[in-house]
Amino acid sequence: MKLATLRTPGSTIAVRIEESTAIEIPGFTDVGELLANPLWRHLSETADGAARDIADSTDWAPVVPRPSKVVCVGLNYANHIREMGRDLPEYPTLFAKYPEALIGANDPIVLPGYAAENVDWEGELAVIVGKSTRRADLEEAEKSIAGYAVLNDVTMRDYQYRTGQWFQGKTFEATTPFGPYLVTADEFKTGSEIRTEVDGETVQKDRTDDLVFGPAQLVSYISHIFTLNPGDVIATGTPGGVGQARSPKRFLERGQILQTGISGLGLQTNRVS
């Protein structure tokens, strides 16, 4: 099952996607609000609200517009760790991102003039939590995952490396595409292809089973630090091919088109502006 948040005049709605049709899930303005209801799966499957044709174009909002937490994982693809000249980690490298950073699958990536240099792409698999989760073992963690989506952790490298803490380069407002939709965990397994393109050129290509720490491991580990709430997001890390690791280095420029896709999870297309 595919779930999404669509923009409407003055509001948003939660919908179930069936091929080229979006079916409104009555009573819910977005997927985050929907997941907060313990009956979200039944409500989604049986929803029979207004149907909308999305064949031509869709104004996707971020799948979960305002999660209580966006937890990001650094250095989690084996080939990316190698290209950055590091050893495989014993524990996940974690940092945070604020909801203000999130944009829809077709929204522009907004670069302020003071931070428009050294802007890098980082295509990622996002895990979306489906129920309150605290101190979960691996089995519990697996059951806590509502589904998966595409995310690009667009990074201001100059800000990232101003200090030893990455946070300030990772959460610039209106820079992180998230969507177009959530695919429920029963319909997606890691191992599918993840690909990032800049103006049609492939810059990242890998499989989502190259993760050092898989989705359930991450949910379990993070839940031992704090409670994960329904709708919370874990960005699981990026594969090799980032601009920072190239020789010479290469970064995004205004006017370029960044596309990020994962087989089975859809494609996002964002102009850098």
Side-chain angles (χ1 to χ4, degrees):
M1 181 168 54
K2 297 177 182 177
L3 304 174
T5 302
L6 298 185
R7 296 188 181 105
T8 61
S11 185
T12 58
I13 57 172
V15 298
R16 182 180 76 245
I17 304 296
E18 294 186 359
E19 298 182 352
S20 62
T21 302
I23 300 170
E24 185 172 355
I25 303 171
F28 298 96
T29 59
D30 61 63
V31 171
E33 183 181 2
L34 173 66
L35 293 176
N37 189 309
L39 300 176
W40 67 266
R41 181 178 290 276
H42 172 74
L43 293 168
S44 302
E45 291 173 339
T46 60
D48 58 357
R52 300 165 185 264
D53 185 1
I54 59 170
D56 297 326
S57 62
T58 298
D59 195 0
W60 307 100
V63 176
V64 180
R66 296 199 61 83
S68 71
K69 304 174 195 69
V70 183
V71 185
C72 301
V73 184
L75 303 173
N76 198 29
Y77 276 80
N79 71 354
H80 179 47
I81 294 170
R82 287 191 290 268
E83 78 172 355
M84 299 299 279
R86 300 173 184 261
D87 295 327
L88 293 182
E90 184 178 0
Y91 302 105
T93 298
L94 304 179
F95 56 93
K97 187 184 290 286
Y98 289 134
E100 288 82 359
L102 302 177
I103 60 175
N106 296 329
D107 292 345
I109 296 167
V110 179
L111 302 182
Y114 53 83
E117 304 295 328
N118 302 327
V119 180
D120 209 347
W121 53 82
E122 292 196 3
E124 306 201 12
L125 171 70
V127 175
I128 302 168
V129 177
K131 65 178 182 178
S132 181
T133 305
R134 177 68 169 151
R135 297 177 184 148
D137 60 22
L138 285 178
E139 183 178 356
E140 292 173 307
E142 190 77 47
K143 294 177 181 177
S144 297
I145 298 172
Y148 300 87
V150 184
L151 182 145
N152 198 305
D153 179 27
V154 173
T155 301
M156 277 58 172
R157 295 293 188 195
D158 49 351
Y159 273 76
Q160 178 185 3
Y161 294 124
R162 285 183 173 186
T163 71
Q165 299 297 320
W166 296 354
F167 169 73
Q168 62 184 311
K170 292 290 191 172
T171 192
F172 266 72
E173 190 163 326
T175 58
T176 302
F178 177 35
Y181 40 69
L182 174 158
V183 175
T184 51
D186 58 319
E187 295 189 7
F188 179 83
K189 302 298 179 186
T190 56
S192 58
E193 182 182 88
I194 179 170
R195 181 192 296 260
T196 307
E197 297 183 357
V198 177
D199 285 345
E201 177 189 350
T202 298
V203 292
Q204 291 182 291
K205 182 180 177 182
D206 207 332
R207 304 196 71 80
T208 54
D209 55 2
D210 191 36
L211 295 169
V212 178
F213 304 101
Q217 290 174 286
L218 292 172
V219 170
S220 175
Y221 183 82
I222 294 167
S223 76
H224 282 77
I225 303 170
F226 47 71
T227 300
L228 288 167
N229 298 315
D232 281 353
V233 179
I234 301 172
T236 60
T238 198
V242 299
Q244 175 72 19
R246 294 170 180 262
S247 183
K249 299 181 190 304
R250 179 179 170 188
F251 299 107
L252 291 169
E253 300 177 3
R254 295 186 193 277
Q256 289 186 316
I257 301 296
L258 178 66
Q259 288 191 308
T260 316
I262 298 176
S263 298
L265 298 183
L267 177 70
Q268 48 187 223
T269 301
N270 307 92
R271 179 178 293 277
V272 182
S273 66

